[in-house]
Amino acid sequence: MKVDVLIVGAGGAGLYAALSAVKENKDLNIAVLTKVYPTRSHTGAAQGGINAALANVDPTDNEELHTFDTIKGSDYLADQEAVKYMCFEAPKIIRAMEHMGVPFSRLGNGKIAQRPFGGASRDRTCYSADKMGHVMLHTLFEQCIREGVKFLNEWFMLNIVHDGKRAIGVTAINIATGEVKLIKTKSIILATGGHSRIYWGYTSNALGCTGDGTAAALRAGLPVKDMEFLQFHPTGLRKSAILVTEAARGEGGHLINNKGERFMKRYAPEKMELGPRDLVSRSIMQEIREGRGFKDDEGREYVHLDLTHLGAEKIKERLPQIRELAIDFEGIDPIKEPIPIKPTAHYAMGGIHTNIKCETPIEGVYAAGEAQCVSVHGANRLGGNSLLDIVVFGNVAGKEAVRYAEGTDFAQGGEGKLEDDVKFITELMNRESKETLGDMRNELGEIMFKHFGVFKNESEMQEGYEKLKNLIDRAHKHLGVEDKSKVFNLDLQSTLEFFNLLEIADVLAYASLQRKESRGSFYRDDYPKRNDEEFLYHSMITKNADGSFNYEKGEVDISLYEPAERKY
Ligand SMILES: Cc1cc2nc3c(=O)[nH]c(=O)nc-3n(C[C@H](O)[C@H](O)[C@H](O)COP(=O)(O)OP(=O)(O)OC[C@H]3O[C@@H](n4cnc5c(N)ncnc54)[C@H](O)[C@@H]3O)c2cc1C
């Protein structure tokens, strides 16, 4: 199989990249390969909105302020020119999507409505009730169909193939038939999404957010960046960890402890519930640690998110999905009662290293979306900035990948990699499984949440890393595939995803142990302060053939704003 440009992933990043690519050059053969049907990508779960300084609500807003808020929110680890590029592109890309038909919520005067969000100094988040990702994903998919983008739906990418200098293609399984193929391409865009499923059972992410592209990048010798930074969103539902959007607080929701206090006054006296996510998540955990949380019969600890004072009308209009989720998964109607919540593993700031053009060090290999780390979010992403990042850099990646494909021919080789992958899968299918995938996944989630959670320290992390190494070792020796069929073998797929999760957890744990400071989402009790002198750098990690890691320090672009202490 041969295509000129192959986009792996059909979330917001992949679909926007595909659209930009076909618009750039209709004569090229452009295809999107995705393990889930496009409209099932995790982007469809995004709730609260997307940031752009349209100044529709607050006329004093502008792109410069958006840039500064993002850099401050990142705890000064974001690359500042990249942030600036994203924030200045934002109004243009929102209008482009508006023209495609994305149904934004409106103000009385017909302009796109904007709501307040965490860490933002103005009301800047454009929204569509609480279903922003859903409407974006569907509109982008429709546009791709209209433009004739080809889709390889329910294909699972295994590995990136290159010759050390440039891209050759990818290996992938057709899930419907079980066939493994080498797909040759001139350029590849990895838009495979995040990896918060390493916190299995404690995450807001869809089942498919298993970091397959990032793990494949590691195996292909590409650098991953800032992997220690994983964001906990303050408000996941108590039992399921399903997300309750920040818009619930943006619309005026309060966080309440068991004393009935709005405890955020202790931690962010000005911004209160609308402090950045890292700060609010830590504040909730601190309340729980100090005995001011609630505990249910099954021992789950949590605090309350109270929306009752917003009134039925506002909740039904602005937060309909949140109400449904609270009713379905907690048996609680937020119109009448507060919602039990606790922090949930939510977003990967780290990912495949690229420059601002979405290029990786291998020619023809690009990355975009949550899988990518440019970096525009640094140590902590602001709510509403990811939907923005994925379309802005999806757009860049699409154009750059076309430009590269136009000037090159298909590289030779790759058949050896195909043979290796077929062999690996055959062995896995023939192996008698001595462990259960479900149990192992839960074990991974427990290790990560306990040892690499909201609060970390050296001894907890060391202990966690030992447990993780043991789990990895057992999985490689004992985990096989019970379902032996070729057709729609989801057992095989889940097992491959689990191996990717282990690879990601390994590198995240390793990266965490190297950073002896606290910054943004990354908080250590034993080093509670940010330390710019020693740690104002991007961690850049590549994997050696023997499985060990190479650790390097990447420069952070601070050309626009001097790092300062964050106060909210
Ligand atoms: C519950 C929730 C709510 C959120 N709300 C907001 C919000 O309001 N505002 C905001 O800015 N951000 C929000 N985010 C974050 C944001 O939605 C995500 O970061 C973003 O949508 C990721 O987009 P993506 O295109 O990079 O990846 P995804 O949408 O996750 O898509 C990944 C794609 O890659 C494909 N894929 C993965 N692995 C493989 C493989 N091995 N082979 C083939 N295909 C593969 C999948 O099939 C899928 O199509 C939210 C996230 C969650 C989880």
Side-chain angles (χ1 to χ4, degrees):
M1 286 174 82
K2 268 189 178 175
V3 290
D4 295 310
V5 178
L6 183 74
I7 296 139
V8 186
L15 294 181
Y16 213 101
L19 259 185
S20 297
V22 276
K23 286 186 181 162
E24 198 71 9
N25 187 342
K26 267 208 175 322
D27 300 328
L28 287 186
N29 193 350
I30 295 164
V32 176
L33 177 141
T34 170
K35 68 179 176 182
V36 298
Y37 193 77
T39 48
R40 289 180 186 274
S41 303
H42 187 64
T43 296
Q47 300 172 345
I50 174 168
N51 296 339
L54 300 178
N56 287 352
V57 171
D58 187 337
T60 64
D61 198 14
N62 59 47
E63 290 90 339
E64 215 49 76
L65 285 173
H66 187 183
T67 304
F68 176 69
D69 287 347
T70 303
I71 291 168
K72 180 179 172 192
S74 82
D75 222 348
Y76 295 88
L77 194 70
D79 286 323
Q80 302 191 353
E81 282 295 341
V83 175
K84 185 173 176 185
Y85 176 76
M86 177 177 82
C87 297
F88 277 77
E89 283 295 296
K92 290 179 245 171
I93 212 151
I94 293 290
R95 288 192 190 103
M97 289 198 292
E98 182 188 24
H99 292 168
M100 288 175 198
V102 171
F104 287 102
S105 291
R106 301 276 162 176
L107 297 169
N109 62 10
K111 289 188 176 177
I112 292 175
Q114 299 192 272
R115 60 171 39 133
F117 241 54
S121 59
R122 301 288 187 281
D123 295 4
R124 187 182 293 139
T125 305
C126 312
Y127 60 95
S128 182
D130 56 0
K131 300 175 186 182
M132 190 65 236
H134 178 86
V135 302
M136 263 174 66
L137 189 66
H138 280 258
T139 308
L140 292 174
F141 184 47
E142 287 161 13
Q143 294 294 312
C144 283
I145 299 288
R146 176 189 180 187
E147 297 289 340
V149 174
K150 292 181 202 71
F151 281 89
L152 293 165
N153 291 330
E154 295 172 324
W155 278 70
F156 185 92
M157 180 191 72
L158 296 163
N159 278 302
I160 303 158
V161 191
H162 63 78
D163 62 9
K165 187 167 177 294
R166 51 192 281 232
I168 294 176
V170 304
T171 51
I173 308 181
N174 180 347
I175 301 168
T177 62
E179 274 173 301
V180 182
K181 293 253 178 187
L182 172 67
I183 305 176
K184 290 207 164 188
T185 67
K186 293 173 184 168
S187 38
I188 308 164
I189 301 175
L190 298 163
T192 40
H195 51 249
S196 295
R197 272 277 150 193
I198 55 172
Y199 291 84
W200 201 273
Y202 297 90
T203 172
S204 67
N205 279 202
L207 291 177
C209 299
T210 49
D212 300 349
T214 310
L218 260 181
R219 289 193 295 271
L222 292 167
V224 294
K225 183 157 92 197
D226 293 342
M227 290 300 283
E228 62 273 39
F229 296 102
L230 196 133
Q231 175 173 78
F232 282 81
H233 191 294
T235 58
L237 289 179
R238 162 188 52 181
K239 294 180 189 163
S240 57
I242 290 174
L243 190 77
V244 177
T245 172
E246 191 161 296
R249 283 170 287 135
E251 295 295 345
H254 294 162
L255 290 169
I256 308 282
N257 64 15
N258 70 11
K259 306 254 178 299
E261 277 177 307
R262 274 180 78 187
F263 55 83
M264 283 309 297
K265 66 182 180 210
R266 266 195 283 285
Y267 309 95
E270 268 180 48
K271 298 293 282 179
M272 293 293 284
E273 280 85 358
L274 288 177
R277 290 177 176 173
D278 55 333
L279 183 74
V280 182
S281 290
R282 277 196 296 279
S283 309
I284 294 172
M285 294 308 281
Q286 192 64 22
E287 289 295 302
I288 292 174
R289 272 178 166 190
E290 290 174 8
R292 290 187 297 275
F294 301 91
K295 201 173 200 172
D296 68 13
D297 296 342
E298 277 144 85
R300 297 187 200 94
E301 296 190 286
Y302 60 95
V303 298
H304 276 152
L305 173 62
D306 189 8
L307 307 182
T308 53
H309 57 283
L310 301 182
E313 202 180 327
K314 192 166 186 182
I315 293 175
K316 284 183 190 164
E317 186 204 321
R318 305 274 178 87
L319 303 165
Q321 186 182 196
I322 293 312
R323 178 164 181 244
E324 262 173 50
L325 292 171
I327 293 173
D328 291 349
F329 292 94
E330 288 286 344
I332 274 171
D333 184 349
I335 293 178
K336 298 180 193 136
E337 280 175 89
I339 313 174
I341 58 95
K342 61 170 191 215
T344 177
H346 184 60
Y347 181 84
M349 269 77 67
I352 304 163
H353 162 65
T354 76
N355 60 16
I356 196 167
K357 288 172 158 181
C358 302
E359 294 166 330
T360 70
I362 295 287
E363 278 175 37
V365 180
Y366 300 81
E370 194 174 331
Q372 169 202 33
C373 182
V374 176
S375 126
V376 285
H377 309 300
N380 173 59
R381 169 176 77 85
L382 295 187
N385 264 355
S386 172
L387 288 178
L388 178 62
D389 157 19
I390 65 176
V391 290
V392 166
F393 289 100
N395 186 31
V396 173
K399 289 185 179 153
E400 292 293 331
V402 163
R403 189 192 50 74
Y404 180 76
E406 283 168 347
T408 188
D409 214 337
F410 290 97
Q412 300 298 314
E415 289 73 16
K417 187 72 201 144
L418 176 65
E419 276 171 32
D420 290 348
D421 284 355
V422 171
K423 194 165 151 240
F424 173 71
I425 287 180
T426 313
E427 274 173 21
L428 201 60
M429 295 285 284
N430 291 336
R431 191 188 291 170
E432 179 118 26
S433 200
K434 295 196 194 107
E435 302 238 23
T436 322
L437 177 63
D439 291 342
M440 287 196 124
R441 276 195 308 224
N442 289 339
E443 195 176 326
L444 174 64
E446 296 292 337
I447 295 171
M448 295 310 290
F449 191 74
K450 176 152 190 283
H451 298 276
F452 298 90
V454 176
F455 294 109
K456 296 175 255 285
N457 66 51
E458 186 74 22
S459 61
E460 281 277 334
M461 288 197 289
Q462 287 292 2
E463 193 192 328
Y465 204 27
E466 290 304 311
K467 290 186 191 169
L468 185 62
K469 290 276 183 212
N470 169 277
L471 181 71
I472 293 172
D473 190 47
R474 277 161 42 216
H476 283 283
K477 283 192 189 130
H478 304 312
L479 188 62
V481 179
E482 279 166 39
D483 179 353
K484 304 293 179 197
S485 75
K486 284 207 161 252
V487 176
F488 264 97
N489 190 337
L490 297 184
D491 186 18
L492 171 63
Q493 186 181 330
S494 307
T495 306
L496 293 169
E497 287 174 335
F498 181 63
F499 281 118
N500 286 332
L501 287 175
L502 291 176
E503 206 145 344
I504 301 275
D506 188 11
V507 72
L508 185 142
Y510 175 81
S512 302
L513 280 160
Q514 313 306 315
R515 191 172 283 276
K516 295 187 167 46
E517 66 158 352
S518 291
R519 184 186 295 270
S521 64
F522 185 81
Y523 190 87
R524 296 182 57 145
D525 287 319
D526 45 354
Y527 297 95
K529 287 239 159 11
R530 193 174 90 195
N531 175 352
D532 285 343
E533 237 160 65
E534 285 177 85
F535 293 99
L536 181 56
Y537 65 76
H538 296 297
S539 68
M540 306 275 275
I541 297 179
T542 47
K543 200 166 185 171
N544 302 316
D546 65 359
S548 63
F549 294 121
N550 259 329
Y551 187 86
E552 278 174 39
K553 299 175 183 178
E555 201 182 323
V556 181
D557 167 15
I558 48 166
S559 53
L560 303 175
Y561 297 98
E562 268 294 304
E565 196 194 334
R566 289 193 314 163
K567 288 207 181 86
Y568 287 94

